[in-house]
Amino acid sequence: MLQGRRILLIISGGIAAYKSLELIRRLRDQGAAVRCVMTEAARQFITPLSVASLSEDKVYGDLWSLTDESEMGHIRLSREADLLVVAPATADLIARMSAGIADDLAATTLLASDKPVLIAPAMNAMMWAHPATQANLAVLASRGVGRIGPAAGDLACGEVGFGRMSEPAEIVAEIARFLVKNQRLSGRRALVTSGPTREPIDPVRYISNHSSGKQGHAIAAALAALGAETVLVSGPTSEPTPAGVKLIGIETAAEMLSASEAALPVDVAVMAAAVSDWRVASSSTQKLKKNGKGPPNLRLVENPDILASIAGRSNDRPALVIGFAAETENVVANARAKRKRKGCDWIVANDVSPGTGTFGGERNTVHLVHADTVEDWPAMSKRDVAERLAERIAAALVPDTAAAPASPRVPGAGH
Ligand code: CTP
């Protein structure tokens, strides 16, 4: 099942580390090559000798070993793997991953990697529930890091609750599912626009909007997680760049259009950006000063419609062009009209009525408007909307690949 797959297993220090030995054995039974990195703390729980014997490879752990660095540095450890699995992932390593700290070989390898990462957390229930851990997990999720478990049950510390590392068999099944799912869009190219645009008035002022980029970035992350070569053209946001995504930062609608055109050809284009409809006809190169003659008259001109122009291309139109529509009333009817007007294939219509909390919020209620049908999706996190949309895209572009079951959600562990 995992024949030829190369897994870099990062073992951090928790009592669950003993399960990693069985995990290595099971992964090898499935045909995977397993190379291991152990943290200093992991060595307190299991010996590098057992890990080396089971993996039949050298065990890595020392950031400062000249031999390791010359033979197999942290960059190569990640480059030579298809997937990084952190099991057990302690609260400490999760925190270091979230903060981008690189103070040992495990953390440095994770920071220097552009490969997909799955974590199998293991910790005490109080540590799991702590807002610091939950915030760190949310950051990792927003960067596209996948999670397996933890499960509820008796913990080594004598307490009962969430925090038990998932069983090795379950972790192996999730790894296999992830790798299959991960490949469905491999060899395909995707373009996603996200965030607001900024249209300058003068060197210090601009016209913009409140778009957070959360939905667009989540879509880019979900497409990259399915293996698509993904270009994300985004206006200024505070969202982290998802793993495996090529970010092109722009400010104006004109820049977004040329960056989007430069990304062609692609198989799918998802235009989730909130593009400013207008720009100042001639923005001032000098700061506008109060000159005693009252406020300046700003003449606005219309910006190019990026969605319509990508959808209208004759030679290199993407096979699938998807737009967004922000509506407060007659959501589906307006979105249908917008789909036709802009010439795109699907429209994701969001209800942005006051009270839905869509703008800047974590959740979204959408309808996926096709040419003839409409899917009404329940309210869900923006990440779930992104994953479901990516699944629909994969099904449309590569219809013969069956959808893999979604990764498990852990009750009580909100994203
Ligand atoms: N869009 C674009 N370029 C523009 C304007 C919009 O690519 N200059 C895209 C957006 O990324 C989104 C869709 O078009 O996919 C939204 O279209 P728009 O006409 O702006 O709709 P709303 O934002 O819903 O606003 P309105 O209803 O006022 O038209």
Side-chain angles (χ1 to χ4, degrees):
M1 187 164 62
L2 293 172
Q3 209 61 45
R5 296 318 195 102
R6 299 162 309 167
I7 292 165
L8 184 68
L9 176 64
I10 295 174
I11 306 172
S12 60
I15 185 72
Y18 78 91
K19 291 190 193 173
S20 308
L21 297 175
E22 192 192 338
L23 178 60
I24 298 167
R25 188 181 58 72
R26 284 180 179 263
L27 288 169
R28 303 236 26 231
D29 283 351
Q30 300 279 339
V34 184
R35 178 168 280 159
C36 297
V37 171
M38 294 176 76
T39 63
E40 183 77 41
R43 290 161 193 257
Q44 306 297 322
F45 291 93
I46 51 173
T47 69
L49 186 61
S50 334
V51 173
S53 314
L54 283 165
S55 64
E56 291 185 73
D57 199 348
K58 190 171 173 331
V59 173
Y60 298 84
D62 189 356
L63 188 55
W64 306 114
S65 151
L66 275 180
T67 339
D68 283 5
E69 278 295 302
S70 55
E71 282 173 9
M72 175 64 69
H74 54 273
I75 307 284
R76 260 183 69 203
L77 276 171
S78 147
R79 292 287 177 280
E80 294 188 358
D82 298 313
L83 174 68
L84 273 57
V85 176
V86 188
T90 56
D92 173 70
L93 184 52
I94 288 170
R96 287 188 287 144
M97 286 171 75
S98 157
I101 292 172
D103 55 354
D104 65 4
L105 184 67
T108 307
T109 305
L110 285 158
L111 192 62
S113 174
D114 60 351
K115 295 295 167 58
V117 180
L118 282 178
I119 58 170
M123 67 194 75
N124 158 278
M126 298 291 271
M127 292 168 89
W128 171 254
H130 196 286
T133 303
Q134 289 300 317
N136 290 332
L137 287 163
V139 168
L140 295 187
S142 75
R143 291 186 195 139
V145 172
R147 197 180 81 219
I148 306 166
D154 293 336
L155 302 175
C157 54
E159 291 176 16
V160 176
F162 277 102
R164 256 172 77 115
M165 185 167 95
S166 298
E167 293 306 316
E170 198 185 321
I171 297 176
V172 173
E174 279 304 321
I175 289 172
R177 213 172 290 163
F178 180 87
L179 286 172
V180 169
K181 194 174 145 199
N182 200 37
Q183 286 183 309
R184 296 181 65 214
L185 286 176
S186 77
R188 307 291 166 136
R189 288 169 52 84
L191 161 68
V192 180
T193 66
S194 182
T197 63
R198 269 185 192 173
E199 311 298 334
I201 296 171
D202 67 18
V204 297
R205 305 179 178 95
Y206 56 81
I207 299 172
S208 191
N209 58 65
H210 284 300
S211 169
S212 63
K214 283 187 198 308
Q215 187 64 80
H217 278 55
I219 291 167
L223 290 169
L226 290 186
E229 195 184 316
T230 306
V231 176
L232 174 64
V233 178
S234 179
T237 77
S238 54
E239 286 295 296
T241 305
V245 166
K246 182 176 175 201
L247 175 76
I248 302 188
I250 54 82
E251 296 227 333
T252 66
E255 288 165 3
M256 183 172 272
L257 176 61
S258 47
S260 299
E261 286 172 342
L264 298 176
V266 297
D267 298 282
V268 57
V270 185
M271 303 324 213
V275 183
S276 175
D277 288 321
W278 303 284
R279 69 175 183 279
V280 177
S282 48
S283 62
S284 170
T285 51
Q286 302 297 330
K287 186 182 167 204
L288 298 177
K289 305 287 282 179
K290 291 183 286 296
N291 58 9
K293 295 183 197 151
N297 265 327
L298 296 179
R299 195 169 72 81
L300 300 182
V301 292
E302 204 158 324
N303 264 331
D305 191 311
I306 300 157
L307 172 61
S309 99
I310 297 289
R313 289 180 74 97
S314 45
N315 294 331
D316 53 5
R317 183 192 191 276
L320 198 53
V321 179
I322 304 170
F324 270 71
E327 308 288 346
T328 54
E329 56 179 358
N330 302 327
V331 177
V332 170
N334 285 341
R336 277 203 155 121
K338 199 166 283 173
R339 193 192 73 81
K340 279 205 179 130
R341 198 166 63 241
K342 303 224 177 190
C344 58
D345 303 294
W346 302 348
I347 283 257
V348 181
N350 346 26
D351 190 345
V352 292
S353 313
T356 58
T358 301
F359 258 115
E362 295 299 332
R363 294 176 76 74
N364 209 348
T365 309
V366 309
H367 310 266
L368 183 59
V369 178
H370 303 253
D372 313 309
T373 53
V374 177
E375 293 178 46
D376 299 319
W377 293 358
M380 56 178 103
S381 71
K382 290 184 175 178
R383 181 177 167 217
D384 287 343
V385 167
E387 286 180 359
R388 198 184 272 213
L389 184 64
E391 282 298 330
R392 294 291 188 279
I393 292 168
L397 291 180
V398 199
D400 49 335
T401 53
S407 44
R409 288 281 177 268
V410 177
H415 288 283

